[in-house]
Amino acid sequence: MHVRKGSSSKCGLFLLFLLLTACGRLGAPAVQDTYDLATPAPPATDTPRPTDTPIPGGAEGVGLAFYRAWEAWDFLGMYSLLSPQSQALVDSRSFVTRYQEAMETAAVQTIHAQPLSARQDGARAEMGVRVTWETAVVGSLAREHTLELVYDQDRWGVLWREGLILPELEGGNRLLLAYRIPARANVYDRNGRALAYQGTAFTLGVIPGQITDEAGLLEVISPLLDKTPEEVKELYAAALPDWYVPLGDVADEVMQEHYAELQPYLAAGLTSRERLTRLYPENGVAPHIVGYTGFIPAEQLAEYKASGYRGDEKVGLAGVEAWGENYLAGGRGGTLTVVSPTGETVATLAETEPQQARSLYLSFDRDFQAAVEQALREAIETHPNGAAGAVVVLDVNTGAVRAMASYPTYNPAIFDAIRPNAELELAAVLNHPGQPLVNRAAQGEYPAGSLFKIVTASAGLVSGVYTPDTGYNCTGVWTGLGEAYQKFDWLAGGHGFVNLRQALTRSCNPYFYEAGFRLDGVDPFILPNTARQFGLGAPTAIVGLDDASGLIPDPDWKLANVGEGWATGDAVNMAIGQGYVLVTPLQIARELAAVANGGALLRPTVIDRIGAAGEAPEEPWPAETVGRLPLSAEQLAAIQESLRAVTNSSAGTATHRFQNFPVPVAGKTGTAEAPPGLSHAWFAGYAPAAPYTRADGTTIETPEIAIAVIVEHAGEGSAVAAPIFRRIVELYYGITPLAPYPWP
């Protein structure tokens, strides 16, 4: 949303600046928290007094300065240019309030004044000016003014009257804007199934003393409220017999579907109250993507009102609901009228029709998204160390998000303040130690662990220091920084002699310690610059959401932020994704998508298309390539070969998780150290990694999806994240039965 911000200036210096530069508009008025335009201004207390500043240039210069100050929303500066007799009739506070009130009521965005004529006769002068208001709701309003000036007390001053704001306001008249607000548009999945929509909700409640069949009532309403009978009963257990106790909301379609079951109880203790609200099917699918709505925050009220909002609407506050506000809210229309001090309509100044809101269609299928959320939830809730995690599924050819899940999660309906128990539910989410509102998939920043070895291997190839066949004898211990700084492999005794391909497949730590050491000796910027070419260290700029940048350190960063010079040990740690390195699951998924698709780094998007409305046609959201991996075709093929071997060779770190798996997959395990708890478990890859023939006989020749999985403080990537990755592939390709998770 393109809005302006307020400013305040010291009028004396400002007016002199105006005459010298003929500046344009700099700011906006303050907000008045009133909708009653006929209410008189509060009595003046501590009335501000502008500093009188002599204005060179005679009457015409003063008149020009008066309108330039108006263009800059400097109402106090305008007041300083009034004649002494005008200032005696109106104090500065009332003057400023009158202009602010008119500008805000009409939703004025800019003022433009065009001088037409000027005439001076002795101590009196007049100036013709055309003033145009550009408003956010009713378009342009243009009026011609005759400004009178008088020379008194050694200066020229404006003879002010209310008609100089707008001729129709003479005599104490006020403006009134009656808004026409279109209904908020819906958010759908790619197939047109609702994710958020304006609809009717029914609040079910009870009057305990009127309940005649409690067991039957609880049996009927419990599943509708997604609560057990005991939980529902607890809601009214402490209520007096004649109290009304709201229990929860059900959508209109649910109410209609179950009306026959509910009807016998509606006259026997059960009540139903209808209201319009924002609804989220199934307690919210993809809440971290869809987001939620709420009343305009107080600190943003001025910005919204300046953009044409009345001020009491609900707006998008997070996710796509916030990103797509201009589409979902439509364009306000309205009728701007003049009313007399007694409230009678004097004139209609302008009238516009509202512009229909446009629905948003997101890039994923609702059922698949819900299944991915369930797979992540089940894994974390059943794993002995599970607490939080995330999954991202990207289309490798377009960057479209096919699923994005973050756990813990939340129900976006908790932001509906009228919803029963909303305050308690919202407080529970806000106080949850797992921070359910955080979208870990796009905003969680984690050490990359061994996933970063893809970047290190690529940096070695791009630099020319390494080839796919460059060998190293891994004994399980690396002492490149000296015997006092030994580093160990995850495999006791090491991997023996391995080349780069094998080292990546086996995730051999000493090989990559050595690679970081050697690359840093050539140029300490080789590794960080390659990482940035893989899309790390900066936000992906995903369409529809906010995402974090992560961190890729280099010598300049460390000196500026840590106050220390770069050490070879920094590069060694970085080579295995530790040290200062931080990445997001979304960045990792995009990196693997680029490896899968031949090297194109895509801008992710959760937007599939913008819906049609009025004369505006449906608009597909285009795929966007924002960079390319620095690898040649041969070098990329070597990386792909190594990642394919991770899941199907005898030495692969995840082969045991994909035995007899029908879909060929490629990927990389990661176990990222994250004190004080267990390591974060990573697995990222793509599918199919080779031609795959479905059960229906169709063959998929090239990769379709890239997936990144992380489970916080859960242990090894192959043990925890890889089975979740497998479950996601099973869900995407409809493979049944689903393999059980390999933990109790």
Side-chain angles (χ1 to χ4, degrees), residues 370-572:
V372 170
E373 292 176 14
Q374 174 57 30
L376 180 63
R377 180 187 302 111
E378 179 187 339
I380 292 176
E381 291 181 352
T382 60
H383 192 277
N385 300 312
V391 172
V392 179
V393 183
L394 291 183
D395 186 310
V396 303
N397 298 306
T398 67
V401 171
R402 297 305 182 206
M404 179 182 283
S406 180
Y407 185 91
T409 187
Y410 69 98
N411 180 353
I414 63 176
F415 291 93
D416 178 359
I418 304 176
R419 184 173 182 260
N421 305 309
E423 184 175 343
L424 293 176
E425 292 178 350
L426 179 58
V429 168
L430 294 177
N431 295 320
H432 193 292
Q435 298 180 287
L437 296 180
V438 175
N439 181 3
R440 286 171 159 82
Q443 298 171 321
E445 297 177 298
Y446 305 96
S450 292
L451 292 181
F452 197 84
K453 292 172 182 175
I454 299 172
V455 172
T456 305
S458 299
L461 296 173
V462 171
S463 67
V465 176
Y466 281 77
T467 72
D469 296 317
T470 300
Y472 174 81
N473 185 35
C474 172
T475 63
V477 181
W478 184 79
T479 58
L481 296 176
E483 291 294 333
Y485 302 99
Q486 294 184 46
K487 290 181 175 292
F488 300 92
D489 191 28
W490 64 268
L491 181 65
H495 295 272
F497 187 85
V498 290
N499 61 27
L500 185 146
R501 292 190 188 90
Q502 295 166 330
L504 186 57
T505 296
R506 302 179 185 188
S507 202
C508 173
N509 284 340
Y511 190 101
F512 289 96
Y513 291 139
E514 181 67 17
F517 181 87
R518 290 182 61 185
L519 292 173
D520 188 71
V522 174
D523 182 350
F525 286 91
I526 290 177
L527 199 50
N529 286 346
T530 303
R532 294 185 183 108
Q533 288 177 295
F534 273 70
L536 306 181
T540 67
I542 180 173
V543 179
L545 299 175
D546 294 328
D547 68 324
S549 63
L551 175 60
I552 296 299
D554 62 24
D556 293 340
W557 174 89
K558 188 180 180 187
L559 188 62
N561 291 275
V562 183
E564 298 176 0
W566 186 257
T568 302
D570 292 319
V572 171

Side-chain angles (χ1 to χ4, degrees), residues 189-205:
D189 77 351
R190 62 190 301 200
N191 300 314
R193 301 180 67 193
L195 296 166
Y197 63 98
Q198 293 296 97
T200 301
F202 287 84
T203 299
L204 297 181

Side-chain angles (χ1 to χ4, degrees), residues 67 70 98-99 102-103 129-133 141-147 160-175 338-339 346-347 349:
Y67 283 104
W70 193 359
R98 192 76 166 89
Y99 273 88
M103 299 299 96
V129 181
R130 176 179 310 204
V131 178
T132 302
W133 297 5
L141 287 175
R143 295 290 187 273
E144 292 188 3
H145 297 243
T146 299
L147 183 72
W160 186 78
R161 62 186 189 279
E162 290 177 307
L164 290 177
I165 303 176
L166 205 66
E168 291 86 348
L169 298 185
E170 198 74 62
N173 292 336
R174 294 290 195 271
L175 294 176
V338 178
V339 296
V346 174
L349 301 183

